[in-house]
Amino acid sequence: MVQAATEADAARAVERDRLWRRLMEMGRIGGFTTEDGHEGVNRPCLSPLDREARRLLIGWAKAAGLAVAVDPAANLFLRLEGQDPSAAPVLTGSHMDTQPQGGRFDGIYGVLAGLEAVEAIIAAGVRPRRPIEVVAWTNEEGGRFAPGCTGSMSFTKAEPMETFDDIRDAEGIRYADALAEQLALEADLPSRPLGYVPHAYVEAHIEQGPRLEAEGKDIGVVTGIQGCRWFTVTVEGRTDHAGTTPLRLRKDAVQDAIRAIQALNALMHDPDDVLRFTVGSFRVKPDTSNSVAREVVFTIDFRHPDARVLRERGDAVAETVARAMTTCTARVHERFNAAPADFGPLVPDLVERAARDLGLSIIRMPSGAFHDAQFLSRICPTGMIFIPCRGGVSHHPSEYATPEACANGARVLARVLCDLAGV
Ligand code: GLV
Ligand code: MN
Ligand code: MN
């Protein structure tokens, strides 16, 4: 009697070297080498480089027999048909855009691990009942168009898609225009409506933190994602001559911005070091040595796993900034608010079981970084698979995961996709 292929066969069919080759090939699109020899990637979303990467992915997907489609948010879907084409698909994937000084794994690993898992499922002869789709979400990073996760927020209806239309990049290009250009250039691809309710979503990703490596574990079973709020603060003063204007007559935007950041540091103080507070961008106008600054725009990235802390301290940002002003005025604009996500038991338990069956060690852990999974978890059972990365480093050209770690994540993913899709 011929035995039906199983999820174990699918995991075995994962080809480590193919996955690695593809990661390295993708890493060349937008790739650069730093002075100290690290191979980073700068691949802004909806850019010509992003398009080139998508074309490469589409070529691989078509060669594997997957059906390709794009939605109005330019999310890209690669579909393995199920025995029951009308069943809600199991969805996996991540993003292809990077930070400006990004690495070769953040995001793209989850897309290529998804493709590898699906190819392994096909190669093993597994015929899943549900369709399985691999998705490349548009603009997860928010590096070019802030905030991030606009593709998954649009897909899940966390925000209406039009919310993001007028976001501009550093050159003043509107998100809606960049999206329209992208869709026009991919007009040869079948388009599909925005959004559906997947049966489940599972995303593979490098950990982007130090725990797995430090504890010598293979797989992070992600239980949820801490919440995150982004603000933009604009401090307005007046420009003046740096040599002649007495300090008492100035409206110096830099000085008041510094006072605001000091007050925010006090607001965000956390003796337990759980809270994350980052001012990652600080732009000064007119930005010359011998003029008093007329304007400062700085960003706040604030994260915490507890919804109450996120709400209370986040809601206090505007007042804290206002009170810190001595001569200038300030405006605070909130542009991202992702509530903490708790994945619940379903997908994390499958991830844990798959890892253990494969002889891999695990830790259950929350994610400090946000991911598209944060928004998918609002509409369907969701989970994530973390693999160790060197030194826990991410959002940096030295980001690195070993070929074996990458393959392990894809093996776990292949099993979980089979479990969820039914084989
Ligand atoms: C995602 O890139 C994040 O900043 O957490
Ligand atoms: Mn990512
Ligand atoms: Mn990232």
Side-chain angles (χ1 to χ4, degrees):
M1 196 179 86
V2 181
Q3 293 237 307
T6 65
E7 63 271 25
D9 299 318
R12 261 192 300 277
V14 162
E15 287 189 27
R16 183 187 72 176
D17 294 347
R18 174 173 59 192
L19 174 56
W20 187 255
R21 252 195 335 270
R22 286 178 174 168
L23 279 162
M24 295 305 103
E25 198 171 337
M26 279 290 183
R28 284 194 282 277
I29 303 177
F32 61 89
T33 307
T34 61
E35 274 173 16
D36 44 359
H38 296 304
E39 299 197 27
V41 182
N42 178 7
R43 194 165 53 232
C45 90
L46 303 175
S47 66
L49 290 170
D50 190 18
R51 279 192 271 284
E52 190 182 334
R54 287 161 69 99
R55 282 288 165 199
L56 185 59
L57 179 74
I58 290 165
W60 289 331
K62 285 189 172 164
L66 306 183
V68 178
V70 67
D71 76 9
N75 299 312
L76 184 64
F77 297 85
L78 320 172
R79 179 179 174 102
L80 172 65
E81 198 50 274
Q83 293 193 55
D84 178 359
S86 66
V90 175
L91 190 59
T92 184
S94 195
H95 59 98
M96 302 178 73
D97 60 327
T98 71
Q99 289 286 315
Q101 289 284 305
R104 290 173 294 174
F105 300 87
D106 176 4
I108 190 65
Y109 168 67
V111 176
L112 294 179
L115 179 62
E116 183 57 44
V118 166
E119 290 204 59
I121 288 168
I122 298 169
V126 175
R127 305 260 336 272
R129 186 178 81 74
R130 295 178 179 279
I132 299 176
E133 296 197 337
V134 180
V135 58
W137 300 112
T138 301
N139 187 34
E140 190 272 353
E141 291 290 1
R144 177 180 175 198
F145 294 105
C149 294
T150 51
S152 54
M153 282 196 277
S154 301
F155 179 90
T156 57
K157 316 271 163 51
E159 300 284 348
M161 206 175 97
E162 304 69 49
T163 313
F164 312 118
D165 282 358
D166 291 324
I167 298 171
R168 288 178 191 269
D169 72 1
E171 267 85 58
I173 297 171
R174 282 173 76 238
Y175 179 73
D177 295 340
L179 204 56
E181 186 188 357
Q182 171 79 19
L183 293 172
L185 288 165
E186 289 183 348
D188 57 313
L189 299 177
S191 59
R192 57 154 67 174
L194 184 66
Y196 65 82
V197 179
H199 175 64
Y201 176 70
V202 52
E203 177 168 350
H205 208 283
I206 57 166
E207 180 198 344
Q208 306 185 280
R211 276 192 68 190
L212 289 169
E213 186 185 67
E215 295 180 35
K217 303 289 190 198
D218 301 311
I219 294 292
V221 177
V222 184
T223 51
I225 304 181
Q226 70 174 338
C228 178
R229 295 176 73 172
W230 279 8
F231 302 87
T232 306
V233 180
T234 306
V235 178
E236 278 175 43
R238 189 186 59 222
T239 191
D240 268 310
H241 195 291
T244 58
T245 317
L247 266 57
R248 67 188 156 73
L249 297 181
R250 294 183 183 190
K251 291 185 176 182
D252 186 331
V254 162
Q255 294 299 338
D256 266 359
I258 289 169
R259 284 187 194 93
I261 292 169
Q262 276 166 345
L264 288 165
N265 278 330
L267 171 72
M268 299 294 180
H269 177 66
D270 173 17
D272 298 327
D273 202 16
V274 172
L275 187 152
R276 301 283 179 260
F277 170 71
T278 307
V279 174
S281 170
F282 190 96
R283 292 196 306 270
V284 179
K285 285 182 189 162
D287 197 18
T288 77
S289 295
N290 48 352
S291 289
V292 175
R294 163 171 59 79
E295 183 188 274
V296 168
V297 179
F298 69 90
T299 59
I300 296 170
D301 177 311
F302 161 45
R303 308 191 194 202
H304 201 280
D306 183 333
R308 192 179 54 82
V309 176
L310 202 69
R311 188 180 59 251
E312 287 177 1
R313 301 211 198 176
D315 289 355
V317 163
E319 200 194 319
T320 303
V321 169
R323 265 192 283 120
M325 295 297 109
T326 57
T327 56
C328 301
T329 55
R331 275 177 288 121
V332 176
H333 168 63
E334 179 162 14
R335 54 182 182 162
F336 186 56
N337 188 341
D342 177 351
F343 290 160
L346 184 84
V347 182
D349 285 356
L350 289 177
V351 172
E352 175 165 349
R353 198 180 71 196
R356 290 196 191 283
D357 286 352
L358 286 160
L360 300 170
S361 55
I362 65 122
I363 332 182
R364 284 189 166 250
M365 60 192 304
S367 170
F370 62 74
H371 299 281
D372 296 301
Q374 199 146 356
F375 295 98
L376 271 293
S377 72
R378 297 184 185 186
I379 64 164
C380 67
T382 291
M384 291 189 74
I385 300 165
F386 277 175
I387 59 165
C389 57
R390 187 174 58 199
V393 174
S394 184
H395 285 192
H396 189 274
S398 66
E399 188 177 270
Y400 183 79
T402 66
E404 192 56 22
C406 292
N408 280 339
R411 291 181 185 115
V412 173
L413 181 60
R415 281 192 80 121
V416 172
L417 291 177
C418 289
D419 288 337
L420 288 166
V423 297

